[in-house]
Amino acid sequence: MTTNTIMDRWIRPAAPTAVAVVGLILSVASWSFVWNREARIAQLEFGERARSHAIALQSGIDDYGDRLAAVRALFQTAEHVIARQEFIDFSQDLLQRDRAILNMSWIPRVSNESRLQHELRARVAGLRGYEIKTFDPGGRLVRAPERAEYYPLLDFGQGTASHELHGLDLADDGFRQRTLERARDTGRLATSPPLRLKGNAAGKTGFFQVLPVYRGHAADMSVSERRANLVGFVQGIFQIDAMIEQILNALVTPAGLDLYFYNANETKPLYVHSARSRTEAAAVPDKAELLAGRHWRGTLSVGDATWTLIAVPGPGGPGIPSRLGSLLVLFGGLVLTAAI
């Protein structure tokens, strides 16, 4: 038996095996490349969609602050004392058909020496029985005790606030007063911590924002001068779920994201927006569980407060790659290998 004959006996059976091995390696390599590419494309689309939502949300939130600034401008630029009805008409026209803003109000700075005069003027202007009051330990509204100065809710630009709140002193040594003081000292928009709303929005979560009004231009003042020249505040109360949904409903960007909103370092979300592709509301897992999975994380500035926005893909949403291409590549490679 010749050497060539012996080699033919080994090579002929080995050739199909080599083709199969090489074909299998190339098929798997191609499948892996396309698989990873699909994942990268899905992740890029997810990140872009989430950033687009965050930009739209920030713009919408800023717009609400601009509306409050417009009300402040009414007081800052007026050459006369703003009448109650003038404020009410102006703010109602500004906020017409906006269910996210529950009310806007004027909060004057009232010294103890001018308290009686202030209360009398309010009664003459139509607020029957008006007085500066506060909540007692039992939660009842009572006449506020004497103090150096008061910040009473005087006028409401929307009809959702109870008339009982006229005269409520926000200088309560709590988070309301701290929010006012931050706005007073910085001359900028200050945001309260989240709070449970009452009235028509009872049980919902909201917050209030205040802008200070000064005699003179705040940018030219020191902190001590701002405190001395403070006239009062304009305030807006906002319902979080209505505000977020109103902003997102205006988007033309395709849906597909579950959005979770957190305040500061809180672990419970302020609000959860479910992807429109869902038939049921999105689950609310622990924050750590959200961050452990596929997600996009960003921040939103709400006045001087910062919210965390976490986006995760909803059913069929961005970030979940289609594996059709990689499976076709794998199947095609195996079929081609078998044919060869």
Side-chain angles (χ1 to χ4, degrees):
M1 184 177 294
T2 66
T3 303
N4 288 339
T5 302
I6 296 173
M7 290 180 65
D8 287 345
R9 288 183 178 182
W10 280 99
I11 292 174
R12 286 172 185 171
T17 303
V19 169
V21 171
V22 171
L24 181 61
I25 292 173
L26 290 175
S27 297
V28 171
S30 300
W31 165 80
S32 177
F33 174 80
V34 177
W35 177 282
N36 291 327
R37 185 172 182 274
E38 288 172 336
R40 288 195 301 272
I41 291 174
Q43 186 61 31
L44 287 172
E45 182 190 3
F46 171 52
E48 188 60 33
R49 186 84 58 85
R51 276 189 291 273
S52 174
H53 277 63
I55 291 170
L57 284 162
Q58 186 63 70
S59 177
I61 291 169
D62 291 343
D63 180 61
Y64 282 108
D66 291 342
R67 299 190 204 186
L68 204 58
V71 179
R72 176 172 70 170
L74 176 70
F75 289 90
Q76 293 272 199
T77 60
E79 297 180 356
H80 61 280
V81 176
I82 301 298
R84 287 191 63 242
Q85 196 57 49
E86 185 178 359
F87 168 75
I88 292 171
D89 292 342
F90 181 85
S91 56
Q92 282 185 334
D93 182 63
L94 189 67
L95 308 177
Q96 194 173 16
R97 296 184 300 276
D98 194 325
R99 63 188 185 90
I101 308 179
L102 299 183
N103 69 65
M104 281 195 170
S105 52
W106 167 239
I107 305 169
R109 179 187 190 183
V110 180
S111 66
N112 191 49
E113 292 76 14
S114 61
R115 174 179 182 170
L116 294 178
Q117 184 182 7
H118 164 79
E119 291 174 333
L120 179 60
R121 280 202 308 266
R123 292 170 193 164
V124 171
L127 294 178
R128 183 180 303 175
Y130 175 89
E131 63 178 354
I132 298 176
K133 50 201 171 187
T134 189
F135 288 108
D136 69 7
R140 295 168 299 185
L141 282 170
V142 297
R143 183 171 178 79
E146 286 192 7
R147 55 190 304 161
E149 58 184 20
Y150 313 87
Y151 295 100
L153 288 168
L154 182 58
D155 294 315
F156 297 106
Q158 293 279 75
T160 58
S162 169
H163 291 294
E164 294 180 354
L165 296 181
H166 279 117
L168 177 64
D169 184 17
L170 297 191
D172 59 359
D173 297 321
F175 73 88
R176 293 179 178 85
Q177 181 172 336
R178 290 192 294 272
T179 304
L180 297 182
E181 290 173 347
R182 291 201 314 275
R184 175 198 66 193
D185 291 350
T186 63
R188 298 177 181 175
L189 187 67
T191 303
S192 76
L195 48 86
R196 286 292 175 185
L197 300 173
K198 298 181 180 180
N200 295 343
K204 299 287 188 177
T205 303
F207 61 92
F208 70 81
Q209 292 185 317
V210 289
L211 268 174
V213 177
Y214 303 99
R215 289 183 294 272
H217 190 52
D220 302 327
M221 299 179 190
S222 64
V223 172
S224 59
E225 288 172 331
R226 287 175 186 152
R227 293 178 179 180
N229 288 285
L230 181 69
V231 176
F233 302 88
V234 290
Q235 173 188 261
I237 298 182
F238 304 87
Q239 183 178 325
I240 292 175
D241 60 343
M243 180 182 71
I244 291 172
E245 292 303 328
Q246 191 159 297
I247 295 171
L248 293 178
N249 285 340
L251 292 181
V252 294
T253 306
L257 297 178
D258 294 328
L259 303 177
Y260 297 80
F261 299 82
Y262 293 86
N263 181 53
N265 296 318
E266 297 293 325
T267 57
K268 297 294 182 182
L270 292 170
Y271 180 64
V272 177
H273 166 80
S274 299
R276 294 170 190 168
S277 56
R278 287 189 177 276
T279 56
E280 297 181 354
V284 188
D286 291 337
K287 188 176 181 181
E289 186 178 342
L290 274 179
L291 295 176
R294 188 190 300 273
H295 72 281
W296 181 92
R297 183 176 183 175
T299 58
L300 298 171
S301 297
V302 187
D304 63 348
T306 300
W307 291 357
T308 298
L309 169 64
I310 299 176
V312 299
I320 301 176
S322 168
R323 297 305 185 186
L324 179 60
S326 56
L327 292 175
L328 286 175
V329 167
L330 179 61
F331 179 74
L334 294 176
V335 169
L336 182 61
T337 300
I340 292 174

